[in-house]
Amino acid sequence: MAKTRNNLLGVGGQRKKLSRADQQGAGAARTADRKVAEDKKQELVRKMRERAEAQAPATAEADGNATAAQS
C-alpha cells in the first residue's frame, strides 16, 4: 500500500498519547497515588455517613420529646 501524506489509512494503529511523567517512567507511581487518594476519599465518606446516621436518631428523639412537651 502506498504511504502518502494524504492517504495514511491502514498504515498503522493509533498510539496512546503519554504524558511526560508516563514517558519518564513515573506512571505507576501516579496511579498508586490516585488509588491512595480514592481510598482516603472513600474512608472519609464512610465516616461522614456514620456520623449522619448517629445524629439522625438523636435528632428524631429530640424532636419527639419536644412535640410531647408541647402537647
Side-chain angles (χ1 to χ4, degrees):
M1 179 173 221
K3 294 183 182 179
T4 63
R5 284 185 170 249
N6 296 329
N7 186 12
L8 294 176
L9 183 65
V11 172
Q14 291 182 348
R15 294 184 182 166
K16 179 183 171 194
K17 291 191 164 76
L18 297 175
S19 67
R20 286 187 181 202
D22 289 338
Q23 290 173 358
Q24 295 172 357
R30 191 175 75 198
T31 304
D33 291 342
R34 286 183 181 174
K35 178 69 174 151
V36 169
E38 182 66 26
D39 291 344
K40 286 181 181 179
K41 181 179 177 183
Q42 292 298 328
E43 182 68 18
L44 179 63
V45 168
R46 183 186 63 78
K47 286 180 182 179
M48 290 174 67
R49 284 186 181 148
E50 287 178 356
R51 288 180 189 156
E53 289 173 1
Q55 288 181 350
T59 304
E61 268 184 31
D63 290 344
N65 291 340
T67 306
Q70 291 176 354
S71 303

